Amino acid sequence: MSITVTKDVFQLAEVFTISRGSRTEAQVLTVRVERDGVTGQGECVPYARYDETLDSVIAEILSLPSEITRTALQGALPAGAARNAVDCALWDWEAKKAGVRVWDILGLPAPKPEITAYTLSLAEPDAMEASARKHSHRPLLKIKLGTPDDMPRLEAVRRGAPNTPIIIDANEGWTAEVYSDLAPHLVRLGVKLVEQPLPAGADDMLAEIDRPLPVCADEACHDRASLPSLKGKYDVINIKLDKTGGLTEALALKDAGLAQGYGVMVGCMVGSSLAMAPATILAQGVAFTDLDGPLLLAEDRDEPLIFDEAGVHAPKPELWG
């Protein structure tokens, strides 16, 4: 089997800002595995927050033996972007080789459309209000926050989208004091969920302060090994393929999280339809789906995912799986 990696850049439709910084493009890695005349592909988004760069992830991928199997891969690389792209490419190869879909291999029904959040980037209140008004027709908005001065932003978004369900992502940007002050207002404004209000590794206060609405672990939850440290602090886990290291571990984490009483959110980095495609299987029946990466792009893959009023649809086989 041959494994190749290419760097691909997708321009964003507009600047995307979170509490850690801004970007104007999505830099991704595309992995292709080829054997017996069949090619499978997968995509990952190396993430600096997890000490990943394009070059470091490429090096991890190219360190793999050419005969690597999906089972062996789980122990060959740690959870992260490199393993994700290879794992998803191997799933794609296996399905194409067998002439079936990935969900057939898994013994699952074909994925149905899932309503996905649409993310509004962090900005000044007036800009966020305008953005919320522009996108108020969407069934779920996700708002990027994470500064000490977020109350005006919250009020502005609610003015712009008075009836739209909202979830909040603080990207580790709040302190326990800031979150405690904001929490009653989040409830008052009808917020359904707050993601990672405190930094991962400095979030013990979540077990001691009131949690009047569900709190979701994002940066604090990577794979099944993360679950013991979340007990008593979080109500929901955000599963992203680039954190779990692929669909294989993501499915196992979903099962384990549900068994331990956690709600499940399926999220994404900012990538193309190829990165989201495997997650449409994972997202079936979860509490929240956030697979809007392609909606934030000015350009996408050939045969992109379909997004409509029913939600995000399963990929065509030409794209993945």
Side-chain angles (χ1 to χ4, degrees):
M1 182 179 71
S2 66
I3 303 175
T4 60
V5 190
T6 59
K7 298 178 182 179
D8 292 305
V9 177
F10 295 90
Q11 297 300 314
L12 302 187
E14 55 188 49
V15 177
F16 185 75
T17 301
I18 67 173
S19 61
R20 283 190 288 270
S22 301
R23 69 183 74 177
T24 58
E25 60 187 20
Q27 298 185 14
V28 310
L29 295 178
T30 305
V31 169
R32 293 181 176 87
V33 298
E34 192 277 331
R35 181 191 289 154
D36 301 333
V38 176
T39 300
Q41 61 179 355
E43 178 184 313
C44 68
V45 183
Y47 203 46
R49 169 64 179 82
Y50 306 130
D51 299 319
E52 295 174 335
T53 66
L54 292 170
D55 290 340
S56 72
V57 171
I58 289 173
E60 284 187 276
I61 293 167
L62 296 181
S63 73
L64 294 169
S66 60
E67 70 276 8
I68 193 74
T69 65
R70 188 165 45 79
T71 300
L73 176 66
Q74 307 310 308
L77 289 177
R83 196 175 78 189
N84 173 38
V86 179
D87 183 75
C88 291
L90 289 170
W91 274 111
D92 188 39
W93 181 89
E94 187 175 340
K96 287 180 167 59
K97 176 68 173 176
V100 298
R101 303 307 304 269
V102 167
W103 48 85
D104 296 323
I105 298 172
L106 288 164
L108 298 172
K112 296 180 180 179
E114 288 284 338
I115 293 295
T116 181
Y118 182 86
T119 304
L120 303 185
S121 124
L122 180 67
E124 291 303 310
D126 287 350
M128 293 188 76
E129 180 175 349
S131 185
R133 184 170 292 108
K134 177 181 178 181
H135 294 286
S136 61
H137 65 285
R138 298 186 184 274
L140 179 64
L141 290 178
K142 176 173 172 174
I143 314 303
K144 290 290 188 178
L145 297 175
T147 78
D149 305 308
D150 281 336
M151 195 63 231
R153 294 183 172 95
L154 279 166
E155 298 280 9
V157 166
R158 189 39 97 198
R159 285 195 301 272
N163 301 310
T164 309
I166 289 174
I167 58 179
I168 299 295
D169 187 1
N171 282 117
E172 306 180 280
W174 291 336
T175 63
E177 292 74 21
V178 169
Y179 173 60
S180 293
D181 288 344
L182 286 175
H185 298 288
L186 300 179
V187 174
R188 173 176 61 82
L189 294 171
V191 173
K192 305 298 184 185
L193 177 85
V194 58
E195 277 187 75
Q196 204 65 51
L198 308 185
D203 54 1
D204 288 345
M205 283 297 294
L206 289 174
E208 302 177 23
I209 61 179
D210 289 336
R211 299 202 305 275
L213 73 165
V215 177
C216 178
D218 183 1
E219 286 86 348
C221 181
H222 289 249
D223 57 10
R224 283 173 289 174
S226 303
L227 290 176
S229 67
L230 307 180
K231 189 174 181 180
K233 297 186 288 188
Y234 295 95
D235 310 290
V236 179
I237 56 173
N238 188 345
I239 304 177
K240 295 178 180 176
L241 298 178
D242 277 312
K243 294 189 301 176
T244 64
L247 181 62
T248 301
E249 173 62 22
L251 290 166
L253 173 59
K254 178 182 177 181
D255 288 344
L258 290 171
Q260 294 183 34
Y262 292 101
V264 172
M265 177 179 186
V266 171
C268 66
M269 307 302 185
V270 182
S272 80
S273 282
L274 178 57
M276 311 298 131
T280 61
I281 299 173
L282 186 68
Q284 296 300 292
V286 302
F288 298 96
T289 297
D290 178 26
L291 297 178
D292 65 340
L295 298 177
L296 305 177
L297 303 180
E299 52 190 348
D300 198 359
R301 303 275 182 178
D302 295 335
E303 302 294 345
L305 291 176
I306 294 171
F307 293 82
D308 60 21
E309 64 278 358
V312 55
H313 291 249
K316 298 177 182 178
E318 294 83 1
L319 175 67
W320 184 87

